[in-house]
Amino acid sequence: MRVLLVEDDDGVAGALVDSLGAHGHQTTRVRRGEDALLAHRDADLALLDLGLPDLDGLEVLRKLRAVSTLPVIVLTARGDERSVVRGLRLGADDYLVKPVRLSELLARIEAVTRRAAAARPEPQVVVVGDIEVNLGARRVVVGGAEVELTAKEFAVLAALARRAGTAVSRQQLMDEVWGDAYVAVSRSLDVHLTQLRAKLRRPELLTTIRGFGYRLGA
């Protein structure tokens, strides 16, 4: 996922860029609100601090909402009730007060992007490289030749294809394919992904993100 981090503190920004990168997210950091308003078109989600050197973060959020539906999570030290309420009313998808645990931030990012994806019309056909996944017809073509998948293999591939280019956690895949990450046997996912890789024969397009999950496409 392409994350736009709007944060003027170098220490905080460096730690977040490293941590998000380790979990498969491509993070672009800007220090100023004006820069965020220019860079948001190239992002899938924004993490927005409110204490910026040029504009108040809430003003950045207001201007952003006038032109974009980009998912925005406010990530700030400003935890007073008035700021939280204003942030949510101005269109923030979530509001987190620093310091925040990385596991919680990753879960909030996943939840916000899942809601945003559910609100968009689902594409019927997803193309990644020479892999074509027809979600409606449940048909997969690789290099011009149709590939036969089992129902579970297709469900795993479809879950990844709907978020092509985005890191998808193991928990999210098991929730979506098996119904409950805590009930599903983790080994089942490994087996189906191994079979899927063998049938697609495109290992460079189905990437394992160590300690997190998987990504289909660049």
Side-chain angles (χ1 to χ4, degrees):
M1 183 183 302
R2 299 170 302 170
V3 176
L4 175 63
L5 174 62
V6 191
E7 171 63 66
D8 68 327
D9 186 300
D10 291 338
V12 172
L16 284 172
V17 169
D18 289 345
S19 298
L20 292 171
H23 287 80
H25 300 302
Q26 177 186 332
T27 306
T28 299
R29 182 265 181 119
V30 296
R31 292 178 173 83
R32 302 167 65 251
E34 290 290 352
D35 295 331
L37 295 173
L38 294 174
H40 76 272
R41 294 179 183 85
D42 297 321
D44 300 311
L45 176 138
L47 296 176
L48 175 65
D49 187 20
L50 299 185
L52 301 174
D54 58 335
L55 293 173
D56 185 86
L58 292 175
E59 179 63 12
V60 175
L61 178 60
R62 186 188 66 79
K63 290 185 175 184
L64 190 58
R65 276 291 165 261
V67 296
S68 174
T69 59
L70 177 73
V72 176
I73 297 177
V74 171
L75 183 59
T76 181
R78 198 184 299 176
D80 60 284
E81 182 179 358
R82 183 170 179 269
S83 294
V84 175
V85 170
R86 284 193 66 203
L88 294 173
R89 284 180 174 169
L90 284 171
D93 295 272
D94 207 340
Y95 194 111
L96 292 173
V97 178
K98 299 173 185 174
V100 63
R101 290 171 297 184
L102 178 62
S103 58
E104 180 181 358
L105 176 60
L106 292 170
R108 298 291 187 107
I109 288 174
E110 190 173 295
V112 165
T113 52
R114 187 166 58 240
R115 290 196 299 269
R120 293 192 298 266
E122 180 177 279
Q124 287 302 298
V125 178
V126 178
V127 178
V128 177
D130 64 349
I131 299 175
E132 181 179 299
V133 184
N134 190 316
L135 297 170
R138 299 180 65 83
R139 184 170 179 261
V140 179
V141 175
V142 180
E146 187 164 356
V147 175
E148 295 293 332
L149 300 180
T150 67
K152 276 288 190 288
E153 289 166 358
F154 183 85
V156 172
L157 180 60
L160 293 168
R162 290 186 183 98
R163 305 165 182 85
T166 299
V168 183
S169 71
R170 291 178 63 87
Q171 288 77 13
Q172 188 172 351
L173 276 175
M174 289 189 290
D175 273 339
E176 189 162 323
V177 176
W178 280 271
D180 189 337
Y182 294 99
V183 172
V185 178
S186 180
R187 180 63 182 154
S188 297
L189 177 59
D190 296 329
V191 170
H192 283 87
L193 277 159
T194 298
Q195 294 170 341
L196 194 54
R197 282 194 172 100
K199 291 183 178 182
L200 296 178
R201 302 190 305 279
R202 299 295 186 273
E204 73 280 5
L205 294 178
L206 185 48
T207 306
T208 298
I209 299 169
R210 189 176 298 277
F212 182 75
Y214 306 91
R215 181 179 64 242
L216 180 66

